[in-house]
Amino acid sequence: MYLGGNVSIAGGFDKCIDRIVTIGGNCLMTFASSPRSLETREISGGEIVKYLEKKAKHGIGPHFLHGAYLVNLASESKTNLTASLDSLIFYQRFAGQINSVGTIIHIGSHKGRGFADVVDQIVVAINYILDSSPKGIRLILENAAGQAGTESDDLKELSQIISRVGDRSKIGVCLDTQHAFASGYLLDQILDKFDRAIGLKHLTLIHLNDSKSEFNSRHDRHENLGEGKIGLENLKNFAKDPRLQNIPFITEVPGENNSGPRKQDIDLLKSLVV
Ligand SMILES: [Zn+2]
């Protein structure tokens, strides 16, 4: 099984491989730019070569990119929407250069406007990104916690978006257990509901996280596995579901002092699926 975590690219893109190897994962997720900005910078050919060599040497599996936090396809601001699209097109092209699966995105927030008012804009934006994506590179939509009007906290809304996308073979879905829990889905029911609303064939990866915030609280606050409101038993029962056998798991937990997953977090993740 592919089990890994989110790691930093600080100091050079290839360093993400050193970091995932150090904590014992065999798949990974990274940003390809500063997560708190929509600015991007080209990553040099030299860094890419070093990255690809290290990835092959250590036998590391799928790499998922995560779009910058400011990406908002539901934005009312044309400037912000254009910057979001430019950033994601950069990410998708880069994904092609490093043979990544694709880019995971939070669709964004309508900040008070209703879903019906923004769905057309979201679908047009997604089609535009897919048209500009290299062959085989997916745009992966993540379920949201529902904080401050974020889209896709409701699986039926996510399903509506997907059903209107031109080329659905280029769409993936990332299911985040913390976001599901915070948006009112119990983990022992989420896969059935996901299958009915979206179809498990679209499920590309799991973000396995515990939750600092309460059930249905609509707060996006991750906790280390077993230390939050979901708890180890529920996470284990979910992770061992046979329908997830071939699905990569990425944990995005705070670790210690918010420095991200440590070796002990990946070890715990491994212990949940055996
Ligand atoms: Zn996530």
Side-chain angles (χ1 to χ4, degrees):
M1 253 185 111
Y2 286 119
L3 305 170
N6 62 307
V7 288
S8 157
I9 58 167
F13 192 76
D14 56 294
K15 298 285 193 297
C16 65
I17 298 295
D18 303 341
R19 292 184 175 111
I20 198 66
V21 168
T22 302
I23 62 174
N26 62 0
C27 66
L28 72 162
M29 182 175 80
T30 66
F31 292 98
S33 63
S34 162
R36 276 169 284 279
S37 153
L38 288 173
E39 306 258 313
T40 52
R41 70 162 184 94
E42 287 301 323
I43 291 168
S44 73
E47 269 175 84
I48 295 176
V49 169
K50 265 202 263 179
Y51 159 85
L52 290 171
E53 281 172 3
K54 285 183 183 178
K55 185 166 185 265
K57 180 178 158 208
H58 293 286
I60 299 298
H63 186 145
F64 300 92
L65 295 177
H66 194 299
Y69 293 128
L70 295 179
V71 162
N72 185 0
L73 301 185
S75 178
E76 265 183 306
S77 150
K78 209 160 171 71
T79 314
N80 183 242
L81 179 62
T82 306
S84 296
L85 292 173
D86 288 347
S87 170
L88 288 175
I89 287 167
F90 167 86
Y91 266 68
Q92 289 291 77
R93 291 197 177 142
F94 181 64
Q97 287 178 287
I98 64 162
N99 303 318
S100 160
V101 183
T103 310
I104 300 167
I105 61 164
H106 303 162
I107 290 172
S109 165
H110 56 64
K111 304 220 162 63
R113 291 192 290 165
F115 177 71
D117 288 343
V118 291
V119 62
D120 287 349
Q121 175 182 318
I122 293 168
V123 170
V124 169
I126 289 175
N127 282 332
Y128 180 73
I129 298 160
L130 294 181
D131 285 346
S132 313
S133 299
K135 200 167 178 286
I137 301 300
R138 291 196 186 201
L139 186 67
I140 304 163
L141 312 178
E142 179 168 352
N143 68 312
Q147 191 160 311
T150 45
E151 294 302 344
S152 74
D153 57 312
D154 180 336
L155 294 179
K156 291 192 187 112
E157 289 181 358
L158 199 50
S159 153
Q160 271 189 52
I161 293 170
I162 294 169
S163 70
R164 292 182 51 193
V165 165
D167 184 355
R168 284 197 282 284
S169 70
K170 286 182 160 182
I171 287 285
V173 179
C174 171
L175 180 61
D176 185 309
T177 53
Q178 194 279 327
H179 301 173
F181 183 78
S183 60
Y185 290 100
L186 290 167
L187 288 201
D188 60 356
Q189 297 170 4
I190 184 78
L191 289 177
D192 288 340
K193 290 190 173 174
F194 186 100
D195 198 24
R196 273 200 298 276
I198 296 170
L200 283 167
K201 67 176 188 296
H202 286 296
L203 183 61
T204 312
L205 79 152
I206 298 292
H207 276 171
L208 198 80
N209 302 310
D210 210 329
S211 180
K212 265 196 179 71
S213 46
E214 300 288 343
F215 179 71
N216 210 10
S217 62
R218 313 188 83 75
H219 282 134
D220 182 348
R221 295 180 67 213
H222 298 188
E223 181 54 284
N224 295 325
L225 302 172
E227 296 176 23
K229 307 286 181 190
I230 301 176
L232 216 49
E233 208 49 42
N234 288 326
L235 287 166
K236 193 178 175 97
N237 289 337
F238 170 81
K240 284 174 81 85
D241 192 302
R243 290 171 287 184
L244 300 179
Q245 233 167 28
N246 297 313
I247 304 287
F249 280 59
I250 294 279
T251 190
E252 317 168 273
V253 293
E256 203 179 345
N257 304 323
N258 283 322
S259 53
R262 305 151 292 183
K263 182 165 186 310
Q264 68 194 74
D265 298 306
I266 301 294
D267 286 346
L268 191 52
L269 172 62
K270 289 176 184 168
S271 77
L272 294 181
V273 297
V274 291

